[in-house]
Amino acid sequence: MRTQVGIIGAGPAGLLLSRLLALQGIDSVVLENRSREYVEARIRAGILEQHTVDTLTAAGVGDRLQRQGLEHRGIHLQYPGTRHTLDFPELCGRTVWVYGQTEVTKDLIRAQLDGGPPLLFEVSDVRPEDVDGDTPRVRFTDADGVPQVLECDVVAGTDGFHGPSRAVVQEAGGRLWERTYPYAWLGILADAAPATDELIYAWHPEGFALYSMRSPTVSRLYLQVDPSERIEDWSDERIWDALDTRMALEGWSVNRGPVTEKSILPMRSFVSAPMRRGRLFLAGDAAHIVPPTGAKGLNLAVADVTLLAQALVRLLQEKETDLVDSYSDRALARVWRCTHFSWWMTSMLHRSGDDFDAQLQLSQLRRVCSSEAAARELAENYTGLPLEL
Ligand SMILES: Cc1cc2nc3c(=O)[nH]c(=O)nc-3n(C[C@H](O)[C@H](O)[C@H](O)COP(=O)(O)OP(=O)(O)OC[C@H]3O[C@@H](n4cnc5c(N)ncnc54)[C@H](O)[C@@H]3O)c2cc1C
């Protein structure tokens, strides 16, 4: 098999990269180790920045997003006794959209299978090779158990945190930074109409809680829990009671409904640099992870592949190396900005440490809720900074 760009991983990063390249006349093959059903059902992110919406729309996969996505004009920040609204258009002229990552993935897969580049599910033993030369390849075993070799000009490692690509880059030297947080998120999906117009980020002495939504009839809610908690120990009743306590506000209540999914998500920040070795380029969670508090993971993956697609078009069509040579530095500038913002939101809202820490958090929250400059800083970062910083 031969293609111009071998793409490992059919998450949002790999699928969108393939789509952006195809629109510029560049061939690719996407290799995914899971089944289509598994990839489409994976519940993850749900907030899209404006640049993500614009990129998906320009790539011709924004129709359903435009019809079913919910435009959100702000967030509510809450601490006991106070719920304060940040109005994003007023603060920075931008908005965000609620549209599940599952839906983004379904739209991209449908477009890919409808005449797009090859997308092979359920492959195994995927390994990029000879990435330091001009003729790299990807070895893998196809769904029928037959060993295959994909010869390429370039390999894109969009295989998420657990994929094989990052290790190949790091073998040639590089650096990793990691911060594991002393708490996790217990997330539920519930068939219940959201009781709020905007997401609510709530600080509470018993821990952080987040009220978000996926549609006018489906709510997505989170509770800060200890990372050692077991989901079996959290009955639906216990979860709803904790949400009621942490989100309590006079005259308002959480809407309950059947819980259709629940899981516990560890929280970490992780950055791997550089994002390139020879002809192997990393993008998305393969190179970096942020805690979900700032809603940045999916948006960063989209930003990376937007930069990478431009760089690969220039390399493969114009034989110019300037954009691929600067790709890692340009992508990492944005990665670190989002890493800082996600860490800052996480540190401000999650209970840890002692009462002194709690007072510092409350002071920071009051500052964001009372100073236009502080609120604008949050709004600009939350709604998405320019692609190139
Ligand atoms: C449980 C969870 C909840 C999250 N919630 C949020 C949230 O609320 N908000 C937010 O902004 N972000 C959230 N994120 C982060 C966000 O979902 C990711 O940043 C986003 O999925 C990154 O996309 P990606 O394409 O880079 O990686 P992924 O979506 O991880 O895609 C990588 C793909 O590569 C495939 N792959 C892996 N190994 C191999 C291999 N050996 N061979 C072939 N294919 C392989 C995987 O199966 C997967 O399909 C969450 C992440 C997780 C794990």
Side-chain angles (χ1 to χ4, degrees):
M1 290 169 83
R2 171 149 190 95
T3 189
Q4 288 178 288
V5 183
I7 299 178
I8 307 175
L15 291 165
L16 181 60
L17 178 64
S18 177
R19 176 87 188 160
L20 294 174
L21 292 173
L23 292 170
Q24 299 292 323
I26 293 189
D27 302 333
S28 64
V29 171
V30 183
L31 304 172
E32 167 61 47
N33 66 347
R34 303 288 194 159
S35 67
R36 178 179 180 181
E37 296 68 33
Y38 182 93
V39 172
E40 288 189 343
R42 218 164 16 197
I43 307 285
R44 289 184 169 180
I47 301 283
L48 307 185
E49 295 172 2
Q50 189 62 53
H51 89 82
T52 299
V53 173
D54 294 345
T55 304
L56 293 169
T57 306
V61 285
D63 288 358
R64 211 158 60 89
L65 162 58
Q66 297 294 340
R67 277 185 278 119
Q68 296 175 13
L70 307 172
E71 187 177 21
H72 278 244
R73 301 171 61 82
I75 57 170
H76 301 298
L77 280 180
Q78 178 169 326
Y79 46 93
T82 301
R83 183 175 292 172
H84 179 83
T85 306
L86 298 187
D87 183 321
F88 291 157
E90 211 168 78
L91 288 164
C92 67
R94 292 197 292 272
T95 59
V96 293
W97 291 70
V98 169
Y99 190 66
Q101 181 170 331
T102 41
E103 306 315 302
V104 173
T105 306
K106 281 181 205 159
D107 295 344
L108 284 164
I109 289 178
R110 194 170 306 121
Q112 189 98 6
L113 297 179
D114 185 17
L119 164 54
L120 310 185
F121 288 104
E122 298 182 70
V123 305
S124 53
D125 304 325
V126 179
R127 170 93 196 154
E129 282 185 0
D130 282 348
V131 297
D132 295 322
D134 287 340
T135 54
R137 72 187 68 83
V138 183
R139 284 189 195 278
F140 66 98
T141 303
D142 68 21
D144 297 323
V146 181
Q148 301 280 359
V149 180
L150 178 63
E151 307 282 353
C152 347
D153 295 323
V154 165
V155 179
T158 53
D159 41 7
F161 187 68
H162 301 287
S165 298
R166 183 176 62 254
V168 175
V169 173
Q170 287 283 331
E171 274 164 18
R175 233 190 122 180
L176 304 174
W177 293 263
E178 184 161 15
R179 166 74 44 94
T180 305
Y181 298 91
Y183 30 76
W185 272 14
L186 187 162
I188 62 165
L189 207 56
D191 284 336
T196 174
D197 53 346
E198 304 293 8
L199 275 69
I200 305 169
Y201 288 79
W203 183 99
H204 189 273
E206 290 182 14
F208 170 70
L210 171 60
Y211 205 136
S212 73
M213 61 292 288
R214 285 291 186 269
S215 76
T217 55
V218 176
S219 297
R220 178 90 170 129
L221 299 116
Y222 298 96
L223 287 171
Q224 174 188 345
V225 296
D226 191 272
S228 64
E229 288 287 339
R230 293 172 343 128
I231 197 70
E232 300 76 40
D233 296 333
W234 285 82
S235 66
D236 295 358
E237 191 70 13
R238 183 179 174 200
I239 294 170
W240 288 118
D241 288 348
L243 288 164
D244 279 344
T245 303
R246 297 187 195 183
M247 300 215 142
L249 191 74
E250 183 97 27
W252 177 92
S253 60
V254 173
N255 267 357
R256 296 189 178 200
V259 174
T260 56
E261 198 259 354
K262 59 180 168 183
S263 56
I264 291 182
L265 166 71
M267 307 268 282
R268 71 157 72 86
S269 297
F270 178 88
V271 180
S272 170
M275 287 170 63
R276 173 195 187 181
R277 170 179 172 184
R279 290 205 163 221
L280 170 61
F281 296 85
L282 301 181
D285 277 18
H288 42 76
I289 299 278
V290 286
T293 328
K296 288 283 160 256
L298 171 60
N299 294 295
L300 261 183
V302 170
D304 284 355
V305 296
T306 309
L307 292 177
L308 184 56
Q310 291 163 357
L312 295 182
V313 170
R314 191 146 162 88
L315 174 73
L316 298 172
Q317 287 183 343
E318 298 166 33
K319 310 292 175 218
E320 294 289 348
T321 60
D322 54 343
L323 293 186
V324 286
D325 288 344
S326 61
Y327 165 71
S328 179
D329 287 345
R330 286 181 298 127
L332 283 166
R334 204 168 193 285
V335 167
W336 277 114
R337 175 87 295 281
C338 294
T339 299
H340 175 267
F341 176 67
S342 303
W343 164 85
W344 177 77
M345 284 283 280
T346 302
S347 310
M348 175 172 69
L349 288 161
H350 291 72
R351 285 288 289 117
S352 72
D354 55 20
D355 282 350
F356 179 77
D357 295 284
Q359 291 306 322
L360 293 180
Q361 291 178 313
L362 287 167
S363 171
Q364 179 69 72
L365 275 164
R366 283 194 294 268
R367 171 78 183 154
V368 174
C369 295
S370 60
S371 151
E372 191 173 320
R376 180 169 300 120
E377 176 64 8
L378 189 155
E380 283 186 0
N381 280 275
Y382 193 95
T383 57
L385 292 165
L387 205 51
E388 299 266 6
L389 294 180

